[in-house]
Amino acid sequence: MKLPGQEESDVSSASKNVPTGELDSGPGSGLSPDGPLDTDSRELEVSKDPLLFIQLNELLGWPHAPEWKETGRWVLFEEKLEVGAGRWSAPHVPTVALPSLQKLRNLLAKGLVLLDCPALSLQELAEQVTRVESLSPELRGKLKALLLQRPQHLIQTPCTSSCWGSAHLREASQEEEVPLKEQHQNPLRQKFPPGAEAGAVLAGQLGFLEQPLGVFVRLRDPVVLGPLIEVPLPSRFFCLLLGPPTLGRGYHEMGRAVAILLSDLQFQWRVRRASSLHDLLAALDAFLEEVTVLPPGRWDPTARIPPPKCLPSERKRIPSQLRVAKGPFVRRRTPAEDRHGRRQHAANPELQRTGRLFGGLVQDVRRKASWYLSDFLDALHPQCVSSVLYIYLATVTNAITFGGLLGEATDGAQGVLESFLGTAVTGAAFCLTAGQPLTILSSTGPVLVFERLLFSFSRDHSLDYLPFRLWVGIWVAIFCLVLVATEASVLVRYFTRFTEEGFCALISLIFIYDAVGKMLTLTHAYPIQRPGSPAYGCLCQYPDPGGNESQWTSTNPKDRDDILSMDLGLVNASLLPPPECAQRGGHPRGPGCHTVPDIAFFSILLFLTSFLFAMALKHVKTSRFFPSVVRKMLGDFSSVLAILLGCGLDAFLGLATPKLMVPREFKPTLPGRGWLVSPFGANPWWLSVAAALPALLLSILIFMDQQITGVILNRAEYRLRKGAGFHLDLFCVAVLMLLTSALGLPWYVSATVISLAHMDSLRRESRACAPGETPSFLGIREQRLSGLAVFILTGISIFLAPILKFIPMPLLYGIFLYMGVTAISSIQFTKRVQLLLIPAKHQPDLLFLRHVPLSRVHLFTAIQLACLGLLWIIKSTPAAIIFPIMLLGLVGVRKALEWVFSPQELLWLDEPMPEKERSIPEKGMEPEYSFSGSDSEDSELMYQPKAPEINISVN
């Protein structure tokens, strides 16, 4: 866009006097071109330019009592001074009128431009800027005295009310050119990273001037200009815009225009490297070329546009003349990246074949050995404490739940004690030796299904279960070692988002189903009925002769065993004579007595309390309530606080809800067996060979379960610095399979939901954020200590029964539901399912909807739903023995989709398969950073920084 009267100047002139090396450094600042103040150097180019804080001081009160008063400030967004309210406005996207930019350009073209000014103080700077030929010596003195006056700043401190930085105006001497106490106490300082600089813009009307005066200064060395800036930052830029009184707020708007220009990263980069007035004007012209005009009458100029949640990338803004040069924003998509900027699995060194036996394992060990010490040092952070508490409770809940389910499925051959011991031993060993220590090993739904089938087969054929299971585990370990030796883990390249989402949705549904199923079982045991009904009774707690609390239920005798179901965590009913108890039918009850409907009602209440409270605290972190430190604390400890609230409520009301059961004696659940499983028992010798067949199916399940979780955890969106270890992880799982099979402990693999929750609880976010900017995702705090502490605490929990027995089981079921809901609600698959129920005109502006017809999106979603439903049906029927093969079949279904959908559709809805990566650009697909010159909003949105696709949020 060219303004009237604007001289023709090529944008490339801005770079004529700039060395090539400077062009390579790129138009960045401390504020990353992609948005965050603190970014991962692996993802973004390291910027050399510091963050710039811009402040507008306006001259008010002429001619009676002229004074400088701060009326605006900028980092990324604008904050205006609301004089009547005595506060700063909320950050918003700045807007400026085109006439203001036109007047500014004309004023700078005729004014004084000083680049690399050697001034070292405000007084020296005032001497430099007043050396204008049009000013007489008398006017220069007046102007200098005016420039040295101390401005007023509105500084809002957290502990006091808003205060002005100066009570009265006076001329500052050289000794007074030091920052004020209020400046050092300004909480805005905490928002800036080290090395940040400032820019001062002074504008206003001055009666003794006959002509407008425009001065733009770039200091050679940044200098703290005393009290000029509200924050004691060294100033790099100084702009003075003064003139005779006119109608309107022309100089105020021109001052805002300068501030808006300096807050723009591209303009700032050019001005930092400008060597003449021509370069400065060329930078302004380049800014005008990208200006978007809002038509009058269709938009309210007084409206404040809120900051976007995610800033667009600066890469697309490179001028066409600079695109041929090598720069940080001119980056070509590599063959290993897709259209969304995600790095494909094939580019990872962990997923490249070495051609040698155990070659991948050796490389994983060498790679992880260099990070081993830092894996412990990086854990010295308070965030790891909250992560340990949260994941510990989730792991204990998982051990209790799956231990109870496993005991039910195996008729007591394994139980809660084996679940606790196995979780502690295998988890701690895995955290110490694995390639990805953030992974949490646990019992999983698919493995539990296989355990149930294996026990049913043994029972139906009169086989000794544990010895048969031992040989199955031995064969699984052998098969997994073969997979490690042949580097079969590189096949995870074929696990695209289609497979990952299907698997993650299945696991999440298992979590939700188990949590809701447990509560339904409880309500079935304690039906809520009217007083006087046959099933209505009371539950009494009283001390037995040994000092322990016993329970006795007074209801219909035929329902007594169901009511005191061990699966609910209740101690079995004692056959001792019942205590003195109040009569039924609504009469007053004695101490410790609770009617059965009370138990069901309050259990449901605690269940919903833990779920809803955890969900509410999850959203507090991104809300506007409370200071940021409080929001982060509440978000990090959301699950812990939810459980503490439920426990306090349960204790205050003295409820007889089912409590957490932990083993009280350290011995196997099955009476009469030792800790080591006999190799044969009563089974024939040939069964050790026949066990290879079910072991083959289980190996497929273990491989899929372990590696899909590994692929999800090691996605590029998480910005992991220390790499993955697919071969090493599978090797550790194989060795642990031998150990757990020999001890009769449950089998363990990576638990998708808990592992993702572990990673999400260790999210690193930028601390120094510009006003209005949301904290940016920096990566994961990669370490081994949090997982190790979780499993050590899990082992100690066997001996913490006096404390843990007060935790109501409904609370833990609510946390289970919370984890499952947050898991399934964060994947794209869920968003596409919701589109089936949303009319087209009300659908959200999702990126893939701009490139794929809605009918094709629905077809893709329907296929995923059909696969998920088929997996669930097979898992729940006697045909579950082929469940591992069906999981592997997801990869085949994804391959077959290439016959139904075009490569472009699959690129937006999923990911390209490895062998198709080269063929996609040949079919007309535009590379991500090709800079074809298109200004469509589609191509701009492709530069948005990607958050993790599958995310279990606990914040």
Side-chain angles (χ1 to χ4, degrees):
M1 176 183 297
K2 299 292 184 181
L3 294 176
Q6 176 179 330
E7 59 179 315
E8 296 293 328
S9 61
D10 194 355
V11 179
S12 62
S13 62
S15 59
K16 288 181 180 179
N17 300 315
V18 182
T20 304
E22 291 186 351
L23 280 174
D24 292 345
S25 65
S29 67
L31 203 64
S32 162
D34 283 337
L37 297 174
D38 185 10
T39 56
D40 190 341
S41 59
R42 293 194 316 156
E43 296 292 330
L44 304 174
E45 300 292 337
V46 178
S47 177
K48 297 181 180 179
D49 294 339
L51 171 70
L52 188 65
F53 169 71
I54 305 102
Q55 175 179 310
L56 173 61
N57 293 343
E58 191 172 356
L59 183 63
L60 304 174
W62 179 268
H64 305 290
E67 60 179 4
W68 295 105
K69 193 171 186 178
E70 181 185 6
T71 59
R73 61 188 187 187
W74 290 256
V75 180
L76 277 178
F77 306 103
E78 180 179 11
E79 293 179 87
K80 293 181 178 179
L81 176 65
E82 296 175 339
V83 180
R87 67 176 187 179
W88 288 104
S89 70
H92 55 276
V93 178
T95 57
V96 64
L98 283 177
S100 299
L101 291 171
Q102 176 186 0
K103 294 177 182 178
L104 174 64
R105 190 183 191 283
N106 294 335
L107 188 59
L108 292 179
K110 301 176 182 178
L112 177 65
V113 175
L114 301 176
L115 302 178
D116 295 331
C117 177
L120 298 178
S121 65
L122 179 59
Q123 189 167 2
E124 292 183 16
L125 181 61
E127 291 280 356
Q128 295 284 341
V129 300
T130 54
R131 293 178 182 176
V132 182
E133 296 179 357
S134 60
L135 295 179
S136 64
E138 180 182 359
L139 294 181
R140 291 179 185 176
K142 291 182 179 181
L143 182 58
K144 178 182 177 181
L146 187 64
L147 293 177
L148 293 177
Q149 283 186 357
R150 179 172 294 168
Q152 290 192 20
H153 308 295
L154 179 63
I155 299 177
Q156 294 175 318
T157 58
C159 56
T160 60
S161 58
S162 302
C163 60
W164 292 98
S166 176
H168 60 278
L169 300 177
R170 54 193 174 126
E171 183 175 336
S173 63
Q174 186 171 5
E175 289 76 12
E176 294 174 327
E177 288 189 8
V178 294
L180 301 174
K181 179 181 178 181
E182 293 85 355
Q183 292 175 273
H184 287 289
Q185 295 177 347
N186 194 338
L188 190 62
R189 293 184 62 190
Q190 302 175 2
K191 299 290 185 180
F192 302 128
E197 298 177 350
V201 181
L202 279 64
Q205 299 178 0
L206 200 55
F208 59 76
L209 292 180
E210 298 179 356
Q211 297 179 354
L213 174 63
V215 180
F216 184 88
V217 179
R218 185 187 69 200
L219 295 174
R220 181 175 58 193
D221 299 313
V223 177
V224 178
L225 299 178
L228 185 63
I229 305 295
E230 68 165 299
V231 184
L233 295 174
S235 297
R236 173 70 72 175
F237 297 100
F238 178 88
C239 185
L240 180 64
L241 303 172
L242 297 173
T246 59
L247 297 178
R249 306 182 66 188
Y251 292 100
H252 169 78
E253 291 300 320
M254 279 194 292
R256 289 186 63 251
V258 174
I260 293 172
L261 286 169
L262 288 175
S263 66
D264 180 72
L265 298 180
Q266 295 283 349
F267 179 86
Q268 184 187 137
W269 180 81
R270 290 182 174 91
V271 171
R272 285 181 180 274
R273 291 153 180 81
S275 59
S276 64
L277 171 64
H278 184 68
D279 294 341
L280 176 62
L281 297 180
L284 198 154
D285 294 342
F287 178 85
L288 291 173
E289 291 291 340
E290 301 182 70
V291 166
T292 300
V293 178
L294 294 174
R298 308 294 175 85
W299 170 70
D300 183 7
T302 62
R304 294 174 179 174
I305 305 175
K309 293 183 179 180
C310 185
L311 292 177
S313 170
E314 296 288 330
R315 293 191 182 103
K316 190 173 181 292
R317 295 183 55 194
I318 295 295
S320 58
Q321 290 85 350
L322 295 179
R323 290 172 192 164
V324 296
K326 178 184 178 182
F329 296 160
V330 185
R331 182 170 66 89
R332 294 288 174 177
R333 177 173 59 90
T334 64
E337 291 180 305
D338 63 15
R339 186 183 181 96
H340 301 277
R342 291 190 297 260
R343 185 162 295 276
Q344 296 296 297
H345 304 308
N348 296 334
E350 298 92 345
L351 300 178
Q352 293 180 349
R353 290 188 181 274
T354 63
R356 302 185 303 272
L357 286 178
F358 295 100
L361 176 63
V362 173
Q363 285 193 350
D364 283 351
V365 172
R366 291 175 178 174
R367 187 183 305 111
K368 302 305 291 188
S370 60
W371 295 101
Y372 200 78
L373 180 60
S374 69
D375 284 342
F376 293 92
L377 298 178
D378 293 345
L380 304 178
H381 192 276
Q383 186 182 18
C384 296
V385 177
S386 66
S387 175
V388 168
L389 294 177
Y390 170 41
I391 301 304
Y392 163 68
L393 292 173
T395 303
V396 167
T397 305
N398 200 48
I400 290 288
T401 304
F402 280 99
L405 294 175
L406 190 61
E408 178 185 357
T410 60
D411 286 344
Q414 295 169 298
V416 175
L417 178 62
E418 284 83 0
S419 181
F420 265 85
L421 181 61
T423 301
V425 173
T426 59
F430 189 86
C431 287
L432 288 173
T433 59
Q436 182 49 272
L438 297 176
T439 302
I440 299 296
L441 288 192
S442 178
S443 298
T444 63
V447 176
L448 177 63
V449 171
F450 194 89
E451 292 254 30
R452 181 182 290 113
L453 293 173
L454 193 64
F455 179 80
S456 299
F457 178 82
S458 301
R459 181 185 55 193
D460 296 341
H461 294 82
S462 302
L463 300 177
D464 200 348
Y465 169 64
L466 289 179
F468 180 45
R469 182 181 180 275
L470 169 62
W471 285 106
V472 172
I474 293 174
W475 280 109
V476 169
I478 293 174
F479 290 147
C480 288
L481 290 176
V482 171
L483 294 176
V484 173
T486 57
E487 300 179 303
S489 295
V490 299
L491 298 178
V492 301
R493 293 179 297 174
Y494 297 92
F495 295 166
T496 64
R497 189 167 59 189
F498 178 88
T499 307
E500 296 168 15
E501 287 185 342
F503 186 79
C504 185
L506 176 66
I507 301 301
S508 301
L509 288 177
I510 291 176
F511 268 65
I512 297 173
Y513 179 81
D514 287 341
V516 176
K518 285 289 186 180
M519 290 307 302
L520 291 178
T521 304
L522 188 146
T523 56
H524 175 72
Y526 301 112
I528 301 179
Q529 301 184 22
R530 293 179 299 176
S533 62
Y536 190 84
C538 68
L539 177 69
C540 299
Q541 293 180 334
Y542 60 95
D544 61 17
N548 298 321
E549 281 192 351
S550 297
Q551 298 177 345
W552 177 81
T553 304
S554 173
T555 68
N556 192 329
K558 67 177 183 179
D559 295 329
R560 183 175 301 173
D561 293 337
D562 293 334
I563 293 171
L564 294 175
S565 172
M566 187 173 61
D567 183 52
L568 293 172
L570 290 173
V571 180
N572 202 357
S574 174
L575 297 179
L576 294 175
E580 291 297 330
C581 181
Q583 295 182 356
R584 309 177 198 170
H587 291 284
R589 301 179 299 241
C593 297
H594 297 270
T595 59
V596 171
D598 286 345
I599 299 175
F601 173 78
F602 286 113
S603 295
I604 295 175
L605 178 63
L606 293 178
F607 172 74
L608 295 177
T609 297
S610 60
F611 169 69
L612 296 177
F613 192 71
M615 291 293 292
L617 291 182
K618 167 184 176 288
H619 295 288
V620 164
K621 189 173 183 179
T622 56
S623 69
R624 298 184 178 182
F625 300 103
F626 310 112
S628 58
V629 177
V630 177
R631 291 200 309 267
K632 188 178 188 323
M633 186 68 65
L634 292 176
D636 289 342
F637 289 89
S638 58
S639 298
V640 178
L641 293 176
I643 292 180
L644 291 178
L645 175 65
C647 291
L649 182 64
D650 182 85
F652 177 75
L653 298 178
L655 305 179
T657 52
K659 299 301 190 294
L660 178 64
M661 280 190 61
V662 291
R664 299 184 179 181
E665 295 181 330
F666 190 75
K667 64 179 182 179
T669 303
L670 185 64
R673 88 164 181 96
W675 281 112
L676 290 178
V677 177
S678 173
F680 295 100
N683 297 331
W685 66 267
W686 53 264
L687 196 62
S688 59
V689 179
L693 181 59
L696 180 62
L697 296 175
L698 182 57
S699 299
I700 298 174
L701 178 60
I702 294 293
F703 181 81
M704 294 290 294
D705 207 343
Q706 174 67 35
Q707 300 298 51
I708 288 181
T709 302
V711 169
I712 295 174
L713 263 60
N714 290 283
R715 293 185 68 90
E717 289 86 349
Y718 284 106
R719 300 184 180 181
L720 300 179
R721 299 178 297 109
K722 301 180 181 180
F726 293 100
H727 309 282
L728 180 56
D729 288 348
L730 189 58
F731 175 80
C732 293
V733 170
V735 174
L736 293 175
M737 284 289 293
L738 286 174
L739 177 64
T740 54
S741 300
L743 296 177
L745 304 178
W747 289 321
Y748 295 95
V749 291
S750 297
T752 307
V753 175
I754 300 181
S755 298
L756 286 171
H758 186 210
M759 290 190 65
D760 195 74
S761 66
L762 295 169
R763 291 168 63 96
R764 294 187 299 112
E765 294 180 342
S766 58
R767 292 185 178 180
C769 300
E773 182 193 20
T774 57
S776 57
F777 174 72
L778 303 179
I780 304 296
R781 200 172 302 280
E782 302 173 64
Q783 37 75 41
R784 297 179 183 269
L785 203 55
S786 63
L788 183 62
V790 164
F791 292 112
I792 292 176
L793 289 176
T794 303
I796 297 176
S797 299
I798 301 176
F799 308 100
L800 295 180
I803 298 176
L804 297 179
K805 69 178 182 180
F806 293 106
I807 300 179
M809 286 301 295
L811 285 180
L812 302 184
Y813 298 153
I815 297 299
F816 250 42
L817 179 63
Y818 162 73
M819 295 174 65
V821 169
T822 52
I824 199 170
S825 62
S826 62
I827 57 179
Q828 189 201 79
F829 168 67
T830 305
K831 298 177 183 178
R832 286 188 276 106
V833 171
Q834 294 173 353
L835 292 178
L836 296 172
L837 307 176
I838 302 177
K841 62 179 180 180
H842 298 301
Q843 290 177 353
D845 187 20
L846 300 175
L847 189 57
F848 59 83
L849 290 178
R850 300 185 179 188
H851 300 271
V852 182
L854 185 60
S855 59
R856 306 292 287 174
V857 174
H858 288 342
L859 177 60
F860 189 85
T861 306
I863 293 175
Q864 275 191 297
L865 280 173
C867 292
L868 180 60
L870 184 60
L871 286 175
W872 186 268
I873 292 173
I874 292 176
K875 181 193 75 68
S876 307
T877 62
I881 192 68
I882 64 170
F883 180 73
I885 299 178
M886 294 304 300
L887 277 179
L888 190 60
L890 287 176
V891 179
V893 173
R894 169 59 183 85
K895 183 68 176 178
L897 290 181
E898 296 180 356
W899 296 88
V900 181
F901 296 90
S902 66
Q904 182 174 2
E905 291 172 340
L906 291 176
L907 198 58
W908 287 105
L909 296 174
D910 189 37
E911 296 173 353
M913 298 290 272
E915 60 268 27
K916 289 293 182 180
E917 288 178 8
R918 295 184 179 180
S919 61
I920 290 175
E922 298 174 0
K923 297 183 180 181
M925 302 290 294
E926 180 185 352
E928 181 184 0
Y929 306 117
S930 60
F931 294 107
S932 62
S934 173
D935 294 327
S936 66
E937 66 273 15
D938 321 339
S939 55
E940 177 60 32
L941 286 177
M942 284 191 292
Y943 295 91
Q944 300 287 354
K946 296 293 180 183
E949 294 278 352
I950 299 177
N951 171 36
I952 310 301
S953 178
V954 295
N955 299 323

